[in-house]
Amino acid sequence: MFVRVNKSGKRRYLQVVESYRNEAGQPRHRVVANLGRIDGMEDGHLDTLIRGLCRVAGRDEPAALEITHAPAKAFGDVFALHALWKDLGFDHALGRALRSGKRKLDVEALVRAMVFNRMCDPTSKLGCLRWLDTVAMPDMPAKVEHHHLLRAMDALMDNVDRVEAELAKQIRPLVDHELTVVFYDLTTVRIHGEGEVDDDIRAYGMNKETGGIARQFVLGVVQTAEGLPLMHTVHPGNVAETKTLQAMLATVLQRFPIERVVLVADRGLLSLDNIDALTSLAEQGGRTLEFILAVPARRYKELVETFRDMAFDEDGVVESRFSGHRLIVAHDTVRAAEQGDRRRARIAELEAMAEKMVGKLDAQDAGKTAKGRRASDRGAYSRFTRAVAEAELTRFLKADLNADRFSWSVDDDAIAEAELFDGKLTLITNAPDLTPSDAVARYKGLADIERGFRVLKSDIEIAPVHHRLPDRIRAHAMICFLALVLYRVMRMRLKAKGHSASPRTALDLLERIQRHTTSIGERTLNGLSTITPEQLELFDTLDLPKPA
């Protein structure tokens, strides 16, 4: 007897068949038992029958097949990011830019892994290797080591011009060619380490995150009004912000063939000398450059009389002229009151401190001694002027250093002049068709790029940077920028469909989709955990295919 699989159409049946000879001596087969359909039969279904036949035959029963389960790996988040990566064409862009017959590394896959790592579980490059062991990353090399990641970063910088040009081609279709509002801002990124190398971009400067001096580099980001990052720039940590503006604009005009640019930038980037240079730069390409730049109004004495005569409309906005351009001022009465009250409270505290010192000096002159060091007028001058300087109120409180006895005065005219600027947003623009309210609204859109910087520093964790070589630092910045692009595109798609989840929340939810691997004897089976309706909705909202 033997076992035979009998097919009937698309169905298969398992039968026990006996061989015999008929009366003429010819061999024939007859079915002894039908064991049923085997289509979709679960593993182990026939094990009981096999063991029973072994007992009847007096043989040892076969050992049960060993079943092992490999650790589950996160799949949904990296699958979604990989689908988005391909949808944006970044795989082909990097493939074209990094193509080399000499290099055996799959640089595109390694860069993609580092970008996804920044979004899912931002860690060091060694930490990225540990993370790769916990995820089922699509289209990855079988083995990735630390030096592979570093070599991929070096390849990225060796071909940086081609890489940025190819990435710009992929971003270009997402940009409005007729009217582009370009937002530009800078932030500082802390760097770990004290050593120095040639052409080092690590320099000490005022850090925007800590408010103190730190070793850092400066990162610039350009984005559209819709929040799409276009490009990034990397500068030494002590660069003057105004010097970065012209080079950035030249690159934007080169990579993105747009006819009209409305540049929106913060007051730290404003230089009146910059304005003429920027305008001539745009005109060289036959384009129109318009700008909305914040003015640090308190620095310009000539604006004092202009502000005295301003009459704001019902929206709290007024327009005037300054340096040959439109001057637009928005007034926030609540913020103005807060700033004025805070200034007067600090002045009152310093006056109370001064009165206390005068009282102690008068008591000493009257022969009354107090515990502690003896007070002096020179010492009172020193303490008071230092406290005023630390409070940044030297314009309003002045000690009379020529008087024999400690005395001071309050400059009420300076206070009144300062209050003219309280609660006011001051903009300069050459855009002829923007109403004052529209210009203010455009500028306030710059806050969106600040949110992008917070994403870079929180979700993507760009800092602190532990790389030493300048090109590795630049490669790290590019990897984080690519992560920001993916994050922003996810945000734009979620927002367009009215979904309440943030990209971070969406990735956390998709991460729960896991890939499982089970071995039964010599067979290996792969499968996914059940995908919930909420996870399916996310794939639909992001316009991405669902994992199969």
Side-chain angles (χ1 to χ4, degrees):
M1 288 190 294
F2 60 92
V3 175
R4 181 177 69 186
V5 175
N6 184 38
K7 294 183 179 179
S8 176
K10 294 183 179 180
R11 299 181 178 181
R12 297 188 304 156
Y13 297 88
L14 186 63
Q15 300 173 331
V16 178
V17 180
E18 179 185 29
S19 295
Y20 70 98
R21 291 185 181 272
N22 60 16
E23 296 177 354
Q26 297 172 327
R28 291 289 185 269
H29 295 158
R30 60 180 168 220
V31 178
V32 176
N34 286 303
L35 302 181
R37 286 181 59 189
I38 60 173
D39 302 302
M41 183 179 291
E42 296 180 1
D43 288 319
H45 187 76
L46 296 175
D47 288 352
T48 303
L49 176 61
I50 294 171
R51 286 194 292 271
L53 292 173
C54 287
R55 284 196 299 271
V56 171
R59 298 178 182 178
D60 294 334
E61 296 182 19
L65 294 176
E66 182 181 6
I67 302 176
T68 58
H69 302 277
K73 294 189 174 184
F75 177 71
D77 52 350
V78 292
F79 175 87
L81 290 174
H82 186 241
L84 182 59
W85 181 268
K86 293 197 298 182
D87 189 37
L88 295 175
F90 286 177
D91 54 339
H92 295 306
L94 288 177
R96 290 190 299 267
L98 299 171
R99 186 178 294 115
S100 171
K102 299 179 180 179
R103 193 186 302 116
K104 295 182 180 180
L105 285 178
D106 187 349
V107 178
E108 183 274 331
L110 296 171
V111 170
R112 171 164 41 88
M114 289 185 279
V115 172
F116 292 2
N117 174 242
R118 302 316 302 179
M119 297 191 69
C120 298
D121 183 22
T123 53
S124 66
K125 300 304 174 285
L126 285 172
C128 180
L129 295 178
R130 292 190 291 270
W131 172 76
L132 282 173
D133 288 336
T134 67
V135 298
M137 177 78 76
D139 298 338
M140 279 298 294
K143 186 176 183 181
V144 179
E145 297 180 357
H146 184 233
H147 67 93
H148 294 153
L149 299 179
L150 297 181
R151 286 170 59 192
M153 296 176 73
D154 293 340
L156 201 59
M157 288 299 101
D158 289 343
N159 303 275
V160 62
D161 292 336
R162 286 208 306 268
V163 168
E164 291 180 340
E166 291 293 340
L167 290 174
K169 289 180 183 177
Q170 303 306 129
I171 295 175
R172 219 176 272 170
L174 304 177
V175 178
D176 181 358
H177 287 206
E178 295 181 0
L179 172 62
T180 297
V181 179
V182 177
F183 294 87
Y184 178 59
D185 205 355
L186 297 165
T187 191
T188 54
V189 182
R190 290 178 294 114
I191 296 181
H192 178 78
E194 301 297 332
E196 294 185 6
V197 297
D198 294 338
D199 301 321
D200 209 339
I201 62 173
R202 300 172 299 175
Y204 287 96
M206 181 61 68
N207 187 268
K208 295 186 178 183
E209 186 178 359
T210 64
I213 300 297
R215 200 175 195 196
Q216 60 190 20
F217 71 88
V218 173
L219 177 72
V221 173
V222 182
Q223 75 174 34
T224 66
E226 293 75 27
L228 176 68
L230 295 178
M231 57 169 279
H232 74 289
T233 58
V234 176
H235 310 278
N238 57 356
V239 70
E241 293 185 350
T242 55
K243 293 183 178 180
T244 69
L245 197 56
Q246 293 184 36
M248 176 279 301
L249 183 61
T251 306
V252 168
L253 294 176
Q254 176 187 355
R255 291 183 187 169
F256 301 95
I258 46 186
E259 295 303 321
R260 181 184 181 191
V261 181
V262 182
L263 173 66
V264 184
D266 208 348
R267 66 194 66 196
L269 294 163
L270 175 69
S271 166
L272 294 180
D273 294 334
N274 259 347
I275 292 175
D276 292 336
L278 294 174
T279 304
S280 62
L281 179 64
E283 289 174 349
Q284 291 174 9
R287 297 181 174 93
T288 301
L289 173 68
E290 297 167 4
F291 53 80
I292 302 172
L293 298 175
V295 177
R298 297 182 193 273
R299 297 180 189 174
Y300 298 97
K301 285 288 186 182
E302 56 265 44
L303 286 177
V304 172
E305 293 305 319
T306 302
F307 274 46
R308 287 190 202 279
D309 300 331
M310 282 185 171
F312 295 93
D313 62 19
E314 58 184 11
D315 295 325
V317 181
V318 68
E319 181 173 346
S320 184
R321 301 288 295 179
F322 176 61
S323 190
H325 297 289
R326 297 174 65 194
L327 180 73
I328 296 171
V329 183
H331 182 59
D332 185 337
T333 55
V334 175
R335 181 172 174 78
E338 290 175 350
Q339 289 178 327
D341 292 344
R342 191 161 52 245
R343 181 187 302 110
R344 291 188 178 277
R346 291 202 305 269
I347 291 173
E349 289 175 3
L350 290 169
E351 285 196 281
M353 168 188 168
E355 293 286 359
K356 185 175 180 181
M357 289 190 290
V358 168
K360 186 174 182 179
L361 289 168
D362 289 343
Q364 282 183 176
D365 292 343
K368 298 179 181 179
T369 59
K371 293 181 180 180
R373 174 183 281 181
R374 182 178 177 81
S376 68
D377 290 287
R378 289 296 100 188
Y381 279 128
S382 177
R383 287 180 59 196
F384 182 72
T385 54
R386 184 168 60 250
V388 170
E390 289 175 353
E392 299 180 352
L393 295 173
T394 53
R395 293 171 53 201
F396 314 115
L397 286 168
K398 302 183 185 300
D400 187 356
L401 300 179
N402 296 319
D404 293 333
R405 295 170 62 85
F406 170 59
S407 61
W408 76 96
S409 62
V410 178
D411 191 337
D412 292 323
D413 290 338
I415 293 175
E417 183 178 300
E419 288 177 344
L420 287 174
F421 299 93
D422 287 345
K424 293 181 175 63
L425 170 63
T426 309
L427 305 175
I428 185 171
T429 182
N430 66 341
D433 57 346
L434 289 178
T435 67
S437 296
D438 287 340
V440 172
R442 290 290 193 190
Y443 176 79
K444 289 183 177 179
L446 191 62
D448 193 55
I449 204 169
E450 292 290 343
R451 285 191 286 272
F453 285 144
R454 287 197 292 272
V455 169
L456 277 172
K457 293 182 178 181
S458 57
D459 290 9
I460 297 174
E461 294 187 19
I462 189 173
V465 180
H466 293 270
H467 293 289
R468 181 176 59 90
L469 300 178
D471 274 354
R472 295 265 175 87
I473 294 172
R474 292 187 179 95
H476 174 78
M478 178 174 285
I479 288 166
C480 292
F481 173 77
L482 287 172
L484 178 63
V485 173
L486 294 183
Y487 187 100
R488 285 299 186 134
V489 172
M490 286 183 66
R491 176 175 173 265
M492 290 165 66
R493 293 186 179 185
L494 289 167
K495 189 175 180 181
K497 296 287 185 67
H499 202 290
S500 61
S502 67
R504 176 72 270 152
T505 302
L507 290 174
D508 288 342
L509 184 61
L510 295 177
E511 183 187 13
R512 300 174 193 172
I513 302 174
Q514 297 180 328
R515 181 171 288 284
H516 299 271
T517 301
T518 300
S519 297
I520 303 175
E522 296 182 356
R523 296 183 59 193
T524 299
L525 303 174
N526 294 304
L528 294 179
S529 58
T530 303
I531 302 177
T532 66
E534 189 177 8
Q535 292 164 337
L536 289 172
E537 182 188 4
L538 276 175
F539 283 107
D540 288 335
T541 303
L542 294 169
D543 294 326
L544 298 176
K546 303 174 183 63

